[in-house]
Amino acid sequence: MAESFNKAVKRSVGIVTANSSGVISTTTTTISGISTAGVAIGDFVLNNNFRIGAKVLSVGTGAVTMSEASVNTAYAAGQQVDFSRPVDVLTASEKNIIIGGTLSNLTNAQISATVVVSTSDNTDVMLLADIPVPNGSSVVISDAGKTVLGAGDTVRVFSNTNNSLDVNFSFLTGVN
């Protein structure tokens, strides 16, 4: 198959739900005392007590179970807990190379953006983690090196602010 260039564009990527009354014990995988309305399995948690990349494994009444344990060293109540649903930019059907990408801030304040490559074996690898994007600005992914995607790998993007990010990626497909 011949190589070709393709692009993927997503509009207004952002947060799904927020809650300010979460309770997080030391080294636990549970966040309790929250509203789980709008929270789904696979959402990422945005909270200083969890490292970037911790995902929701299950949703219960007033609590969620995370993929990783909290990193806090003391009991923490009244925590601001945000959940962000990643937006799939591309799921590779064959080998692809990320040529570049632009993450543009649509808001009047600084936001944070994360780009994740979810591999075909369900491993999440951060391409950009919690990168600041100033208001009226963009982050450009290019020049530093290219990322190879295998068949079944998915590029996902999320932000810490609702409807805050436009995403534009370029891919080279059909490579050997």
Side-chain angles (χ1 to χ4, degrees), residues 13-85:
V13 173
I15 198 166
V16 174
T17 187
N19 190 301
S20 61
S21 63
V23 175
I24 305 166
S25 294
T26 56
T27 61
T28 183
T29 58
T30 302
I31 302 172
S32 60
I34 61 171
S35 167
T36 56
V39 179
I41 293 171
D43 287 353
F44 287 88
V45 67
L46 305 174
N47 175 277
N48 289 334
N49 295 307
F50 289 89
R51 74 174 192 86
I52 296 293
K55 292 193 308 187
V56 175
L57 291 181
S58 67
V59 179
T61 304
V64 295
T65 302
M66 303 304 301
S67 61
E68 300 177 27
S70 65
V71 295
N72 57 325
T73 57
Y75 176 85
Q79 295 292 298
Q80 176 70 33
V81 180
D82 298 333
F83 295 95
S84 187
R85 184 156 305 136

Side-chain angles (χ1 to χ4, degrees), residues 126-147:
M126 300 295 143
L127 188 58
L128 294 176
D130 206 23
I131 190 88
V133 186
N135 63 312
S137 188
S138 323
V139 169
V140 177
I141 304 169
S142 66
D143 297 335
K146 308 305 177 220
T147 300

